[in-house]
Amino acid sequence: MMILNALKKFFGLNAEKSEAETSSLRRSFQDHYRSFRSLLTANNIALELMAEMEETFGAGQSFSMAFVRGHCTALTVNIYKMVQHLHELSNGKYGGLTGAFNSISVSIEEILARQPKIAGGKFVLPLAEVDIHSTEQAGGKMANLGEIRNRVGLKVPDGFVITAAATKHFIDSNNLQDEINRRLKLLDHSDLEELYTTSASIQQLITNAPLPEDLERLIIDQYEELARRSNSRVLVSMRSSALGEDSSNISFAGQYRTQLNVTDDMLGLTYKEIVASKYKSQAIVYRMQRGFRHQDVIMCVGCLAMVDGVVSGVMYSRSPRDPRSDWIVINAAPGLASQVVDGRAVTDMFRVSRNSPHEVLARELRVQKTASLSDRQAAELAGIAVRLEEHFGLPQDIEWSIDSTGRIIILQSRPLAQAAPVEESGMESIEVDETQPYLLGGGVSASAGVACGPVHIVRSNIDLLQFPEGAVLVVAHPLPEWATILNRAVAVVSETGHVTAHLATVSREFGIPAIFGIAHATEKLKNAEMITVDALGRRIYEGRRDDLLKNAPPPSNLMAGSPVYKLLEEVLRLITPLNLTNPASPYFMPSSCETFHDLTRFCHEKAVTEMFSFSSRYGFDEKGAKQLVGDIPLQWWVINLEDGFREGLDMKDKWVRIDDIVSLPMLAIWEGMTAVPWKGPPPVNLKGFGSVLFQSTMNPSLDPAVRSSMASKSYFLISRNFCNLSVRLGYHFSLAEAHLSDLLTENYVSFQFKGGAADENRRFIRVNLISEILEKYDFRVEQKADALTARIEKKPAPFLIERLKVLGYLLIHTRQIDMVMEEQDMVDNYRKSILADLEKIVKPEKENMP
Amino acid sequence: MSDRFNILLVDDEKDFLEITTKRLMRRGYNVRNATTCSEALLIIEGDWPEVIVLDVMLPDRDGIECLKEIKRKRPSSIVILLTGHASMQAGRQSMEYGANDYCLKPIELDELIEKIEIAYREKAKTRDISD
């Protein structure tokens, strides 16, 4: 080579200079192409991430902070790459991009890093100083109890609250938070065994940490005060009162620990155990399902003198199934209230009128022959329920006890978790087709709905670990800890329990049908047996019953309004809106980029333009546009980016034939374009034609004289695996792009379609039709007025090739049909003929999916 | 797929290291591993790995510091950061210090292989041109 060069130099051949120049240009072009390819891959990943975020946000499925943080991080990385690659491609022409990128990223980082505020510095507060305004210090439950004592004037147990500031002090002085966060971040929520291990290890970490001395002193002092007021060394109950429990549709029922009969020497340890119970497995799952960040929930602990309950229970100020009901539901059993809420105790049920004098409308005695409550007591309780609902402005779920002196003491009141009122009437009036054979029936409808799945009987935690996704949970008692798997169960069946059990509350919140009190369910149902549970009808049927399932209400969005949901909403505002839609606009520039989507749009557009204009900028004919010749419809130009032409083609030619093309995606589009000959423009009615003329005068961008050089012709930019096709046919503009390779991460097909000659309405109808067809062929379609974008990512090349044929076909055959898109039967005709053609062109799924 | 190049896995999580090494080798890659940054730097001196998959939290050094050190010693190294801690800031910083990618655990093996292949291909093309 050196000798050859020397010889050339010797003979003074000036061809030598141009050859060096050519090879340098070739190298430079290769560099550009490499950056371009990398930019497209990053673009593909970024767009997929954004689509996943939007879909998750819209679909009402549960998602965690880890999901939000993970997606934001992956997006940042890929958009960073796009910006870098565009800098390489354009020799730093768009300097403002880095600034725009940094400012958007930092704004998102700030939202993600936000910490909850902790109000007030006091570590302990006597209940006498607590009311609804103390929620941020004392947690929702204790703030409510203080409110009931101090503002409503009802009797509650005496006691005090260990505040959020105290818990923060405890956690901080032992440096626990970072370690807890580390363990949680590594947790795979779908692995139950891991969930239990992590939950146990975090709880142990907390209970093993020493209590700061100042805090311990304050707790003891408060206890001494309480003992002095009670004139005895009282036993206390210690209850969680977490911040974040105040939301009306969110109960946190039974998630955390409550400890009864605590003696003064156990105060410190029990406090730590309750703080640690924030990380119980069911609490971790619950927060995840309902969209709470772990850091947003801060434990406060109430310390209350024990009540010697003679009879206790739970009451609802209205039916949980119907907020308009005019009766109160009271469940009562002899002894302490905790037995009623944890679902174990057999209870008497009373239905009491909301109107004074609160007549008992119905009673179901299940404990003994005599009622556990007298009518007078039931009426008095009902009066309290109405008072509390009026005070708090929402239906209430109230825990109460009646002590040995006959006084009613309120232990807790919180907003009642409501199931969607699916039926006008209460449960008794539900019609059940009695002629239908069923496996089991009876009990109470703890949460309405119909669901179908295989039986999975759970007797211990080991059975829980094997719980399959989508099974029916069948248990002897509705214990609160079963809530850990409510996110994978489709229904709950329990032999005991009532609507007031915590598990019932959580089932209603999650929208999972539940029947409690079906005797012998764990014996009569067999594991893996398929059943349909009709909770409202209180029947269990054999097999799958589509006739019942079709009446089931759609699942509600558990996340809506939750902190994580709001956070994602806020973050998405900086990610998905697209402001840069028109590349011809003077505002199409880096400083106009307000979102990540804008950045991807800008980078992609400019990258294509850079590749397109390379040859003209550097006078590099080899990479210039060649016109496609042969027996082909319309006019097309082709720019070879890399290996899109067959080997041996003379690069100096100004023409190229379709046989010279080896670009897989271009050939696929071409196949779709030419598979069915175009029948020519549709017969236009005068109105449609008139609308075209009108549009031409109104819309300057339709005037051929003002088109930019790139938009004025139809171009293929190709390599063996890549194709970018921009089409200007008549009055509409479209863009198809694809990359096909053996790596799924790089694979995609995208399509943009805009404009048309007819009036807005006709264009809109046409875009609708195209949308519909693309969706049928697995595209994810977004439509704004008469503009449409469609994408498919990360599918195998053979699958994408068939989709490219669809695009090719549509590009040719939907031209000008906007003119006739007025009569519905016309639209139907086009749809029918397009779908029939496509059926012939596109290979069916089985052949092209691996 | 490209020719089977050399991969160095750096992670202090022994289980992950063992399983991933075994699986990548089964797919035909040459794999070695290290549990600390200093160990990794020694292997890099031997000019052996083409792609380095690096955990962000290492016992002896912060992964991003380790990345800087690797890039200082051998600027042509292809480094993919892999982490269980999603952090936008760490992601951005890693890219600024020359990482080729920043991925999140848990990651499917096929996805990891694609990330490695893509990073390798992107880099390999540069080498063709400059050699």
Side-chain angles (χ1 to χ4, degrees):
Chain A
M1 190 64 191
M2 266 171 66
I3 296 171
L4 190 69
N5 281 343
L7 277 174
K8 282 183 179 169
K9 212 171 214 170
F10 179 80
F11 289 109
L13 295 173
N14 43 10
E16 198 260 344
K17 193 185 160 211
S18 83
E19 193 179 302
E21 218 172 53
T22 307
S23 101
S24 139
L25 273 174
R26 210 172 274 157
R27 197 172 295 171
S28 164
F29 188 84
Q30 259 177 333
D31 272 345
H32 275 65
Y33 180 65
R34 183 176 49 83
S35 299
F36 178 62
R37 286 280 320 110
S38 303
L39 184 146
L40 292 178
T41 303
N43 184 53
N44 196 35
I45 298 172
L47 290 179
E48 195 203 17
L49 288 165
M50 288 193 262
E52 277 173 10
M53 290 175 93
E54 273 200 319
E55 197 185 309
T56 304
F57 181 74
Q61 339 155 322
S62 289
F63 51 89
S64 63
M65 266 314 285
F67 169 87
V68 181
R69 213 179 280 121
H71 274 68
C72 287
T73 304
L75 260 179
T76 308
V77 167
N78 282 287
I79 291 168
Y80 179 91
K81 285 188 195 175
M82 291 186 76
V83 171
Q84 287 309 309
H85 292 310
L86 184 59
H87 283 328
E88 289 157 17
L89 270 173
S90 66
N91 302 319
K93 199 192 287 176
Y94 307 105
L97 268 183
T98 304
F101 165 72
N102 283 340
S103 106
I104 298 167
S105 309
V106 167
S107 304
I108 296 173
E109 277 167 40
E110 278 169 7
I111 296 171
L112 294 181
R114 225 177 270 156
Q115 293 291 333
K117 288 193 297 280
I118 291 192
K122 282 191 181 172
F123 291 164
V124 288
L125 286 174
L127 216 48
E129 293 174 22
V130 173
D131 61 26
I132 204 77
H133 303 292
S134 324
T135 305
E136 303 229 312
Q137 292 163 274
K141 201 190 280 179
M142 287 303 133
N144 268 17
L145 202 61
E147 178 82 5
I148 294 166
R149 178 192 190 275
N150 302 318
R151 302 277 196 88
V152 188
L154 293 169
K155 178 91 182 147
V156 306
D158 193 7
F160 61 94
V161 185
I162 309 171
T163 65
T167 303
K168 187 174 180 326
H169 177 51
F170 166 49
I171 299 285
D172 287 354
S173 63
N174 287 291
N175 276 324
L176 296 176
Q177 202 58 54
D178 285 345
E179 181 55 25
I180 294 171
N181 291 346
R182 195 189 66 81
R183 293 186 195 186
L184 282 174
K185 276 187 184 173
L186 294 175
L187 171 65
D188 173 7
H189 283 89
S190 61
D191 183 342
L192 264 184
E193 205 164 336
E194 202 182 313
L195 173 67
Y196 282 121
T197 324
T198 305
S199 156
S201 84
I202 294 176
Q203 290 188 67
Q204 204 167 26
L205 184 75
I206 296 172
T207 39
N208 288 346
L211 210 56
E213 264 173 49
D214 52 341
L215 179 55
E216 189 163 20
R217 189 70 254 155
L218 284 166
I219 293 173
I220 292 170
D221 287 351
Q222 280 295 321
Y223 175 79
E224 295 299 338
E225 281 289 304
L226 174 63
R228 195 182 49 75
R229 289 195 297 266
S230 320
N231 295 320
S232 75
R233 312 291 306 165
V234 283
L235 296 175
V236 293
S237 69
M238 293 182 80
R239 294 166 165 257
S240 65
S241 174
L243 284 186
E245 284 189 338
D246 48 344
S247 185
S248 65
N249 273 312
I250 302 199
S251 69
F252 285 88
Q255 303 302 312
Y256 311 123
R257 194 179 168 96
T258 294
Q259 186 66 51
L260 305 180
N261 299 317
V262 182
T263 50
D264 54 355
D265 56 323
M266 295 299 283
L267 289 172
L269 181 63
T270 311
Y271 166 68
K272 288 192 290 185
E273 283 172 354
I274 292 172
V275 170
S277 75
K278 172 179 163 185
Y279 298 100
K280 277 167 79 170
S281 54
Q282 70 246 45
I284 293 175
V285 170
Y286 184 88
R287 284 196 290 270
M288 159 86 194
Q289 286 291 105
R290 307 271 352 219
F292 279 78
R293 299 191 300 177
H294 300 301
Q295 69 197 69
D296 288 333
V297 172
I298 297 168
M299 275 295 182
C300 310
V301 177
C303 210
L304 306 171
M306 285 295 297
V307 176
D308 55 338
V310 173
V311 53
S312 305
V314 173
M315 61 181 166
Y316 294 161
S317 64
R318 288 173 194 269
S319 160
R321 274 182 303 276
D322 184 1
R324 287 158 299 186
S325 57
D326 58 357
W327 64 82
I328 287 152
V329 181
I330 304 178
N331 273 275
L336 302 179
S338 58
Q339 292 160 353
V340 179
V341 294
D342 82 3
R344 273 179 229 257
V346 179
T347 58
D348 289 342
M349 200 272 283
F350 302 86
R351 182 181 278 189
V352 186
S353 166
R354 284 179 56 86
N355 305 317
S356 195
H358 306 297
E359 205 181 325
V360 176
L361 305 172
R363 55 171 76 75
E364 236 174 83
L365 303 184
R366 289 174 295 226
V367 184
Q368 292 169 343
K369 286 208 180 75
T370 52
S372 46
L373 280 182
S374 69
D375 283 9
R376 193 188 51 78
Q377 285 172 319
E380 200 182 337
L381 280 168
I384 287 174
V386 172
R387 246 171 101 185
L388 286 173
E389 180 183 309
E390 276 168 4
H391 185 82
F392 290 111
L394 281 172
Q396 296 288 299
D397 167 348
I398 303 153
E399 258 176 63
W400 53 269
S401 258
I402 299 180
D403 71 7
S404 51
T405 64
R407 286 181 307 183
I408 294 174
I409 297 166
I410 303 303
L411 304 174
Q412 180 179 334
S413 184
R414 62 179 171 207
L416 174 61
Q418 299 269 356
V422 280
E423 293 294 329
E424 284 288 315
S425 46
M427 70 186 188
E428 273 74 18
S429 58
I430 292 308
E431 298 244 339
V432 178
D433 184 351
E434 293 295 344
T435 62
Q436 300 269 359
Y438 57 91
L439 289 173
L440 288 170
V444 293
S445 164
S447 171
V450 186
C452 166
V455 169
H456 190 83
I457 300 169
V458 171
R459 294 190 177 87
S460 68
N461 278 352
I462 313 236
D463 299 329
L464 265 196
L465 288 182
Q466 280 142 15
F467 196 89
E469 187 87 41
V472 176
L473 172 65
V474 179
V475 294
H477 305 291
L479 305 184
E481 52 260 42
W482 302 146
T484 307
I485 46 160
L486 279 193
N487 59 339
R488 44 185 84 196
V490 293
V492 186
V493 173
S494 172
E495 292 181 354
T496 64
H498 210 265
V499 280
T500 50
H502 282 324
L503 197 69
T505 307
V506 182
S507 299
R508 288 195 292 275
E509 274 183 57
F510 285 12
I512 296 168
I515 311 180
F516 289 0
I518 288 204
H520 310 297
T522 61
E523 292 152 39
K524 289 193 176 147
L525 296 172
K526 283 176 198 65
N527 265 334
E529 169 186 23
M530 189 61 87
I531 57 170
T532 299
V533 177
D534 175 4
L536 220 45
R538 295 177 292 151
R539 289 276 192 276
I540 294 170
Y541 298 94
E542 193 179 350
R544 185 182 172 83
R545 292 288 301 271
D546 286 312
D547 54 328
L548 298 169
L549 288 164
K550 71 179 194 310
N551 295 325
S556 58
N557 186 340
L558 291 176
M559 297 289 286
S562 75
V564 175
Y565 185 88
K566 283 185 197 154
L567 189 138
L568 179 57
E569 188 174 34
E570 206 176 330
V571 163
L572 279 178
R573 267 183 240 138
L574 292 165
I575 293 178
T576 49
L578 185 60
N579 307 301
L580 299 192
T581 46
N582 180 9
S585 152
Y587 294 105
F588 198 88
M589 56 185 182
S591 60
S592 305
C593 291
E594 289 170 25
T595 64
F596 275 173
H597 201 171
D598 288 338
L599 286 170
T600 60
R601 178 78 182 85
F602 184 86
C603 290
H604 179 269
E605 177 70 28
K606 291 302 175 192
V608 173
T609 316
E610 289 293 327
M611 293 312 291
F612 179 82
S613 62
F614 188 92
S615 65
S616 57
R617 245 186 310 143
Y618 298 101
F620 186 41
D621 289 347
E622 214 174 83
K623 296 293 177 186
K626 301 181 195 310
Q627 190 175 1
L628 200 59
V629 290
D631 179 24
I632 52 170
L634 307 159
Q635 287 193 313
W636 308 92
W637 276 261
V638 186
I639 294 174
N640 183 27
L641 295 175
E642 206 180 44
D643 42 5
F645 290 161
R646 70 172 168 83
E647 272 180 54
L649 182 75
D650 185 355
M651 292 300 181
K652 297 204 175 63
D653 270 358
K654 294 259 183 280
W655 293 277
V656 66
R657 313 181 63 85
I658 196 73
D659 301 339
D660 299 324
I661 308 286
V662 294
S663 167
L664 295 171
M666 173 170 171
L667 290 174
I669 296 175
W670 194 258
E671 196 182 328
M673 283 177 159
T674 51
V676 179
W678 186 46
K679 297 179 193 79
V684 175
N685 66 33
L686 275 178
K687 241 161 78 195
F689 188 62
S691 112
V692 174
L693 289 178
F694 178 68
Q695 282 295 307
S696 298
T697 54
M698 291 301 289
N699 186 348
S701 72
L702 294 174
D703 180 348
V706 293
R707 289 177 199 148
S708 71
S709 70
M710 189 177 169
S712 61
K713 293 176 185 171
S714 296
Y715 285 95
F716 287 97
L717 269 71
I718 58 168
S719 67
R720 171 174 276 278
N721 295 325
F722 173 77
C723 173
N724 170 295
L725 165 63
S726 54
V727 188
R728 168 76 69 164
L729 281 177
Y731 288 117
H732 71 251
F733 173 73
S734 37
L735 193 72
E737 192 177 280
H739 189 270
L740 309 174
S741 88
D742 50 353
L743 297 181
L744 295 183
T745 309
E746 298 180 316
N747 282 3
Y748 65 90
V749 172
S750 78
F751 182 57
Q752 287 174 43
F753 184 93
K754 193 175 163 34
D759 60 42
E760 204 169 300
N761 187 38
R762 288 156 209 253
R763 295 203 306 263
F764 188 69
I765 294 172
R766 177 175 63 170
V767 166
N768 270 345
L769 178 62
I770 294 174
S771 259
E772 186 192 321
I773 291 162
L774 290 176
E775 273 174 356
K776 188 173 145 51
Y777 283 98
D778 313 292
F779 282 85
R780 188 177 73 239
V781 183
E782 257 176 71
Q783 200 182 325
K784 248 184 208 163
D786 68 337
L788 166 157
T789 58
R791 270 187 88 82
I792 308 182
E793 291 113 359
K794 296 193 179 172
K795 294 280 187 217
F799 181 86
L800 295 182
I801 282 178
E802 300 307 315
R803 272 69 206 159
L804 284 167
K805 291 188 200 164
V806 174
L807 292 187
Y809 174 90
L810 291 176
L811 279 171
I812 295 297
H813 294 272
T814 61
R815 307 180 269 156
Q816 300 187 13
I817 62 171
D818 51 336
M819 316 262 199
V820 291
M821 281 290 163
E822 199 178 30
E823 296 105 47
Q824 187 56 45
D825 54 339
M826 201 67 148
V827 178
D828 292 340
N829 277 342
Y830 270 104
R831 181 191 295 111
K832 212 180 282 170
S833 99
I834 289 171
L835 288 176
D837 281 350
L838 285 176
E839 196 134 314
K840 278 179 245 151
I841 300 168
V842 177
K843 281 188 209 145
E845 209 80 331
K846 262 179 272 151
E847 291 168 43
N848 57 44
M849 271 301 253
Chain B
M1 295 275 153
S2 314
D3 50 327
R4 305 310 184 180
F5 41 84
N6 302 336
I7 300 172
L8 171 62
L9 290 177
V10 193
D11 202 311
D12 65 332
E13 225 181 289
K14 292 248 166 59
D15 289 353
F16 172 82
L17 209 54
E18 229 167 80
I19 295 169
T20 315
T21 302
K22 211 181 281 171
R23 286 175 164 176
L24 284 174
M25 287 175 81
R26 209 174 297 150
R27 300 284 186 98
Y29 297 93
N30 307 312
V31 188
R32 285 170 71 180
N33 52 44
T35 51
T36 61
C37 182
S38 38
E39 210 182 315
L41 289 169
L42 272 179
I43 296 173
I44 286 159
E45 287 200 353
D47 212 24
W48 182 79
E50 266 131 333
V51 177
I52 302 156
V53 179
L54 184 64
D55 187 15
V56 173
M57 290 245 287
L58 292 168
D60 60 335
R61 208 173 303 186
D62 174 57
I64 295 176
E65 291 303 313
C66 192
L67 162 72
K68 279 199 230 168
E69 193 62 25
I70 291 170
K71 292 303 265 190
R72 197 179 60 78
K73 283 208 158 151
R74 209 172 59 138
S76 66
S77 302
I78 303 169
V79 185
I80 295 176
L81 284 150
L82 186 59
T83 174
H85 300 249
S87 151
M88 288 177 68
Q89 209 187 352
R92 211 149 41 99
Q93 277 177 358
S94 305
M95 300 306 288
E96 279 165 9
Y97 292 128
N100 295 70
D101 212 338
Y102 182 96
C103 311
L104 300 176
K105 279 185 198 169
I107 188 167
E108 301 264 330
L109 186 75
D110 285 334
E111 208 183 328
L112 180 63
I113 289 177
E114 292 221 341
K115 302 264 186 199
I116 293 172
E117 284 282 344
I118 288 169
Y120 180 74
R121 283 186 194 184
E122 287 179 352
K123 204 75 183 186
K125 281 184 188 156
T126 345
R127 212 168 293 158
D128 285 351
I129 294 161
S130 55
D131 282 353

